[in-house]
Each structure stands twice: as structure tokens, then as C-alpha cells.
Amino acid sequence: MEETIAGTEAAQIPQQRGESLLETAVRYAEERHWDVFPGSWLEAVDGVQRCSCGDASCPAPGAHPTRPDWATLATGSATVARRMWQKQPTASILLPTGRTFDALSVPESAGFLALARMERMELALGPVTLTPDRRMQFLVLPGASAKVPDLVRKLGWSLASLDLVPLGEGSYVAAPPTRFGSRGAVQWACRPTAANRWLPDAEELISPLAYACGRDR
């Protein structure tokens, strides 16, 4: 069951209810053919949710890789995913970028502005995540991280001047319903549907994203 949080017309954010991390990870692999891998998890320490890594000041508590070779763990097999989460049912769900998709990460405020602009432009969007640390990740076709600097330059910006971060090979995004400590859970700003199975190219979204990031500075 999903509960929708009121937002802008462009982004109704559904909140996942009653589905375990294991079930969700398996569904991502099975239905979307996304690679998944288990990350850190949350543990109650003196009544406070702490990251399993043991760092009290962890910047992404319960939502980061637990080992340096994390990329080798990522699997697109629902059977393997089920086995991994059975070992640690509360592990976060992390999705490696640079494989079935790249991601364009922007501040939440710029993301909502871009979503409204994209709706007016009638652009076809892929799934978009919203994280508790107030970032939005727009999923796009692989290869975006190599293209984005030049695409932004052609629009009259430098990538260094915008808070627009392309995530490709060697990076990852946390997927709903992964929690960031006490800050809340990752949610879908645009959830995966049959209509957005085919992802847009970064070139299709870069103009409204760069504009929104420029306005957001």
C-alpha cells in the first residue's frame, strides 16, 4: 500500500508501507532489472539509531556500502538478492550507477523546480528519488556522467558553478525505503512505473535541471 504525501503538482511522493527491504530489493531486481547490493543498516544504541559502521558521526547512517569491494556484490538476480537480504534483513538497498542507469543529483529545491518545468515541457521522465539529506536523483541512461560537463557548458554554465552532480560508474544511489538514521527514508519523487521503464537521455533533462540549479544558487 502506498500513501501519497502532498507536494507540487509535478511531484506527488508516495511513501511505501508494509513492504520489507528484502521484498523491495527483490522486486527492483526482478521487475526493473536493476542491480542491487546491501549496504549498512541501523542499530539501536542507547535508544538512538546508529549506523552499523560504528561511526557516531556517520554522514549517511544506515545508507552506505560496508566494504570497499561493494561493486562486486551488486546483482541483478532476484534469487541472489533474496539470499543477501536474508543474511541481513535490515540492510539498506543501494543501486550502483553506471550500469543500467546513471543519475543526476541536484538539491531538493532545484529538483522540484525542474520537475515543474519538465511537466510544462511534457518531457518523459524516469524514476526520481528524494533523500532525507534533501537531494533528488534523476535516473537517466548510462553514459550521462561523461556527457554532462559538455552539455552544461553548451548551455552557458560550468559544472563547477552548479550543484548538479552526475553519478556514473563507481557511484551509487540509495533506493526507497532505505532510511538515513533518524532523518527519515528515501522516497520516490517519481516512482517506477511501466510508463517510465525506458529512461531518458541526460541531454533531454539537462536544460531544465541546469536552469533550476542556476536559480537555486
Side-chain angles (χ1 to χ4, degrees), residues 21 161 174 209:
L21 289 156
S161 69
L209 282 172

Side-chain angles (χ1 to χ4, degrees), residues 6-191:
T8 67
E9 185 179 347
Q12 297 291 314
I13 305 169
Q15 213 174 23
Q16 296 180 334
R17 297 290 188 193
E19 190 171 55
S20 71
L21 289 156
L22 183 153
E23 291 168 335
T24 309
V26 167
R27 187 160 53 82
Y28 289 151
E30 204 164 51
E31 296 179 11
R32 301 298 293 201
H33 305 295
W34 288 341
D35 283 2
V36 297
F37 69 97
S40 57
W41 56 92
L42 296 172
E43 298 175 335
V45 180
D46 298 327
V48 178
Q49 293 289 317
R50 293 280 175 82
C51 186
S52 60
C53 72
D55 182 358
S57 58
C58 178
H64 63 82
T66 58
R67 42 195 283 181
D69 63 344
W70 59 264
T72 65
L73 296 178
T75 180
S77 163
T79 302
V80 175
R82 184 177 298 279
R83 194 179 307 135
M84 289 195 294
W85 267 271
Q86 281 173 340
K87 290 179 182 176
Q88 181 48 256
T90 56
S92 53
I93 303 173
L94 305 180
L95 311 175
T97 50
R99 299 188 183 187
T100 49
F101 60 80
D102 278 7
L104 303 178
S105 177
V106 300
E108 174 188 302
S109 50
F112 277 117
L113 178 61
L115 281 174
R117 196 172 176 85
M118 289 171 187
E119 184 181 64
R120 290 195 298 273
M121 296 168 72
E122 298 184 346
L123 292 178
L125 282 175
V128 181
T129 66
L130 174 64
T131 67
D133 57 354
R134 304 179 74 83
R135 302 287 298 182
M136 276 191 184
Q137 278 92 29
F138 290 72
L139 304 194
V140 293
L141 289 172
S145 56
K147 293 181 185 178
V148 164
D150 191 49
L151 291 173
V152 168
R153 199 177 305 115
K154 287 178 179 176
L155 292 169
W157 302 92
S158 71
L159 195 57
S161 69
L162 301 176
D163 190 358
L164 194 166
V165 183
L167 303 174
E169 189 174 354
S171 295
Y172 62 90
V173 296
T178 294
R179 296 192 67 81
F180 278 52
S182 60
R183 284 177 266 170
V186 184
Q187 299 177 322
W188 289 114
C190 293
R191 64 189 179 90

